[in-house]
Amino acid sequence: MSAGLKKMILLPFLCIMLSHMAAGQECSNQCSCPSIPPQCPPGVSLVLDGCGCCRVCAKQMGELCTEKDLCDPHKGLYCDFGAPINRRIGVCTARDGATCVFGGMVFKSGESFQSSCKYQCTCLDGAVGCVPLCAMDVRLPSPDCPMPRRVKVPGKCCEEWECDSPNRHSFMGSALASYREEETYGPDLSMMRENCLVQTTEWSACSKTCGLGVSTRVTNDNRECRLEKQSRLCMVRPCESQLEQSIRKGKKCIRTPRLSKPMKFEISGCTTTKSYRPKFCGVCLDGRCCTPHRTTTLPMEFKCPDGQFMKKHMMFIKSCACHHNCPGENDIFESMYYKKMMGDMA
């Protein structure tokens, strides 16, 4: 069969398939949504569909889209329908934005890629953001596994937990060392409950050095004594804040500046219902970097464009420390340069 004949046969078939797909994506007067929202892959946003009906996984760059199946708005994608006549099926395309250079390769704004088997990354207007593909859980000591530690498994990318023999080390020494970046505060005998030794890790470093990021910790401080991961929003400093101009004459650093005017925080188009005057970590002129030292955690309420409200916890800085233990250039996975944050168990 000639190539021309194959095209003549496949083209009508493809048109019929696209027509059926478009018809299935039109909005109806009645919503019918699954009781449990879909679990989206790492880095894919869960959004309200174009009908304002159900929460769905947003379409990604290069995927087919419709007025119902929206492209990922958090990556600056939009549905390109091409010719004005065709307003039923389009392709997700990135809006104009700065490209990203990562590992010697150039990525367009809105383009996703895997930096390694452990991270899924996205370029967004010149900035690279990544989410882990491996489990980031922390295993607390328990009677059946008093000394957990992560080990590299041959043939697998992600490390897995294994239990050390209790005869090799003392309980506290090996168990607490296994947490690496997230050290525990316990155990504290005053925190003993029936069949439960309550333990909580420290909050991890903020995922971003400027702008809104995320900090996490692990605890079993609940009724079931079950291990759970908690998260909070954090902002070490605003991006493009030009804090160097605020350093006084004769000084090398501005350590913990506070905004002169109240501000509202914004995440994914949702804005806090109240205004705040938070403290931030400043900058130095002698090569040191300033990071949070004492923090507290407070609840915040956000109002979204669709009228819905959501509550998030937010890190508020009490004081910062300036030091030379700074990350290397372009090391977006480095978080060990943060000094230990003290006095925040909220």
Side-chain angles (χ1 to χ4, degrees), residues 115-325:
S115 63
S116 68
C117 61
K118 294 184 177 181
Y119 293 95
Q120 176 77 22
C121 302
T122 300
C123 170
L124 186 58
D125 196 18
V128 175
C130 301
V131 293
L133 297 176
C134 297
M136 301 297 288
D137 61 314
V138 174
R139 184 168 181 175
L140 296 174
S142 60
D144 60 330
C145 186
M147 300 178 187
R149 66 186 183 97
R150 284 189 182 274
V151 295
K152 180 69 176 176
V153 179
K156 292 186 178 181
C157 173
C158 301
E159 295 177 334
E160 296 182 0
W161 287 103
E162 80 167 16
C163 296
D164 264 351
S165 169
N167 298 326
R168 288 197 296 171
H169 309 288
S170 67
F171 175 82
M172 288 295 297
S174 174
L176 298 188
S178 70
Y179 298 125
R180 298 184 179 179
E181 296 180 20
E182 296 183 349
E183 300 174 348
T184 60
Y185 277 105
D188 182 353
L189 295 180
S190 64
M191 298 295 285
M192 280 292 297
R193 290 204 296 261
E194 185 179 357
N195 298 324
C196 182
L197 177 60
V198 177
Q199 297 183 74
T200 303
T201 67
E202 294 180 7
W203 286 106
S204 67
C206 191
S207 60
K208 290 189 177 181
T209 56
C210 76
L212 208 58
V214 179
S215 175
T216 60
R217 72 176 180 182
V218 175
T219 183
N220 65 343
D221 189 5
N222 51 62
R223 184 177 299 177
E224 296 81 13
C225 195
R226 186 181 67 251
L227 206 61
E228 63 180 8
K229 188 173 185 178
Q230 298 176 341
S231 63
R232 64 177 181 177
L233 301 174
C234 52
M235 184 182 288
V236 178
R237 64 183 61 82
C239 295
E240 302 177 1
S241 54
Q242 298 180 344
L243 293 173
E244 294 86 352
Q245 300 177 3
S246 303
I247 299 178
R248 295 178 181 178
K249 188 175 181 180
K251 300 289 184 179
K252 295 182 179 180
C253 299
I254 178 171
R255 191 172 61 178
T256 316
R258 184 192 292 271
L259 286 184
S260 58
K261 296 181 180 180
M263 64 168 289
K264 290 189 175 184
F265 294 96
E266 182 177 339
I267 176 173
S268 302
C270 305
T271 309
T272 52
T273 55
K274 296 181 180 179
S275 297
Y276 300 86
R277 280 192 61 211
K279 290 181 179 179
F280 295 112
C281 289
V283 293
C284 293
L285 300 176
D286 58 358
R288 287 181 290 169
C289 52
C290 301
T291 55
H293 179 62
R294 292 185 180 274
T295 67
T296 188
T297 306
L298 298 175
M300 302 173 68
E301 187 177 55
F302 290 81
K303 185 177 181 180
C304 302
D306 58 4
Q308 293 189 3
F309 289 85
M310 65 176 180
K311 291 186 177 181
K312 297 284 185 181
H313 283 86
M314 178 85 180
M315 178 191 80
F316 281 84
I317 295 172
K318 290 184 174 181
S319 65
C320 301
C322 301
H323 48 86
H324 289 285
N325 193 19

